[in-house]
Amino acid sequence: MSGVLYPPMSPAPWHPKRILVSHTLHEGLGEYILARRPDLEVRARGQREIAAEDVEWAEVYVGFWPPAVGRWRTLRWIHCIGAGVDAFAFRAGLSEETLLTRTAEDFGPMIGEYCLARALAVTQRLRHHEAEQRARSWRPKHPERLRGTRALIVGTGAVGRGIARAFLGAGCEVEGLSRSGEAREPFAAVWPGERFAEAVRSARWLVLACPLTEETFHFLNRARLAECGGTYLINVGRGRLVDEPALVEALDQGSLAGCALDVFETEPLPADSPLWARPDVTISPHISGLTTIPGAGDGFLQCLVEVEAGRKPPLAVDTRRGY
């Protein structure tokens, strides 16, 4: 049985064989792993199809979200295939003895394209022109220039750097904000978190691309939103980085000029959310950075080689920090 508490990962080699894969939105991931490691036993299930007995059978779980049933929190190893690991590490009750690893896939370029597209939709006034086309109306509204505007990106990891490169390619000034404020390419400057009010001043774009941790939960609260000065928010991090009721107030009061949201405190976004009907909000269903089957499979297999050799994988997550 795997649903029991294991001792901490030790230098001793371990050769897990029973791999439970959640393949919702990633059908074929189980087959991808098995084709490269036919010595493994792989059960591939949709998220809603996973039964408690599957979790009991498994030595390792591979997926984007935790199983809805079973004692997954005490599995010896969990491999997360998403860009963020908060579903397993943030207030999830995961055992301290569980090895949590993450995908090796670089989501920065794809998420950078998403953010740039959302900014261009604003400066090119696409919503206005689409509405005018449907109305067969000819009322020119000239675009703004994206070039020369300033973007502040909260989070300077791989995703944040990918977003920075996208905005730099469009001729924007790009600065970052992180916990330490440590300088990092390609940002012109990186501000420490406590200087948010200074950092956001004059920013046309505020992009959230940091992990969800105890430190960043509701990072954009009422106080910080009031300091935003009319910037446009793009959230591609996690929904719980933002206090959503306070977000609506900030839009009403003009602290935010608008926002593009790919993530929400509750997903799917409830039908009664006031965000749906707002013309100053653009909503997408958590698609800014999509995991590919090769990316998910190869990341797991890289970690498996390390575990079998008795080494801690470089892709291991510090669950106390949340990334």
Side-chain angles (χ1 to χ4, degrees):
M1 289 175 60
S2 64
V4 295
L5 192 63
Y6 281 87
M9 289 294 293
S10 69
W14 179 42
H15 298 273
K17 296 297 182 185
R18 299 189 302 276
I19 316 299
L20 175 60
V21 175
S22 171
H23 66 189
T24 297
L25 300 180
H26 303 93
E27 287 79 1
L29 176 56
E31 290 86 344
Y32 184 93
I33 293 171
L34 194 57
R36 287 152 182 79
R37 286 293 303 265
D39 58 307
L40 301 176
E41 299 176 56
V42 176
R43 285 189 188 179
R45 302 278 192 269
Q47 187 72 25
R48 296 181 180 178
E49 299 167 354
I50 295 174
E53 65 182 38
D54 294 318
V55 180
E56 290 293 324
W57 169 85
E59 293 176 283
V60 183
Y61 176 73
V62 178
F64 187 85
W65 298 105
V69 297
R71 295 188 289 175
W72 62 269
R73 292 173 180 82
T74 55
L75 284 168
R76 187 171 177 181
W77 177 18
I78 293 173
H79 182 77
C80 176
I81 63 174
V85 300
D86 51 281
F88 300 97
F90 181 73
R91 301 181 182 178
L94 188 68
S95 167
E96 293 182 2
E97 283 73 29
T98 296
L99 170 67
L100 177 61
T101 55
R102 58 179 176 82
T103 181
E105 193 156 8
D106 183 2
F107 297 94
M110 183 183 297
I111 297 179
E113 289 180 11
Y114 173 97
C115 294
L116 188 61
R118 294 306 183 266
L120 283 166
V122 173
T123 59
Q124 294 296 313
R125 307 188 192 280
L126 295 189
R127 278 196 162 173
H128 166 80
H129 295 302
E130 287 171 358
E132 292 297 287
Q133 179 178 341
R134 288 193 297 271
R136 299 173 186 256
S137 172
W138 188 277
R139 292 191 302 166
K141 192 167 186 178
H142 297 297
E144 303 175 41
R145 292 298 305 274
L146 179 62
R147 179 176 294 276
T149 59
R150 178 170 169 266
L152 176 67
I153 300 170
V154 180
T156 59
V159 171
R161 294 195 299 274
I163 297 167
R165 293 185 186 102
F167 275 95
L168 284 168
C172 298
E173 177 189 348
V174 182
E175 297 182 356
L177 185 138
S178 70
R179 182 174 61 174
S180 66
E182 182 179 347
R184 178 169 282 190
E185 295 290 341
F187 300 95
V190 178
W191 299 75
E194 64 269 17
R195 296 180 65 186
F196 173 81
E198 294 173 76
V200 78
R201 195 175 300 146
S202 79
R204 179 69 174 92
W205 318 103
L206 172 62
V207 184
L208 300 185
C210 55
L212 174 63
T213 66
E214 291 294 343
E215 244 184 303
T216 62
F217 175 72
H218 281 186
F219 173 81
L220 272 189
N221 53 23
R222 279 183 172 81
R224 287 198 179 97
L225 283 164
E227 296 169 339
C228 285
T231 189
Y232 187 94
L233 170 67
I234 303 174
N235 188 5
V236 290
R238 285 294 182 264
R240 288 192 283 178
L241 297 174
V242 181
D243 180 346
E244 277 183 16
L247 174 64
V248 174
E249 294 172 15
L251 289 165
D252 287 339
Q253 295 164 3
S255 299
L256 293 178
C259 52
L261 306 173
D262 188 51
V263 288
F264 304 89
E265 291 208 66
T266 300
E267 296 182 5
L269 182 64
D272 61 356
S273 169
L275 295 171
W276 284 109
R278 296 193 67 106
D280 51 3
V281 175
T282 297
I283 289 170
S284 57
H286 204 144
I287 47 77
S288 62
L290 298 176
T291 305
T292 65
I293 289 175
D298 292 346
F300 166 69
L301 293 170
Q302 289 174 28
C303 291
L304 180 59
V305 169
E306 299 297 317
V307 168
E308 290 175 327
R311 298 188 293 264
K312 183 178 181 179
L315 296 172
V317 173
D318 182 344
T319 53
R320 290 168 299 180
R321 297 178 67 183
Y323 55 90

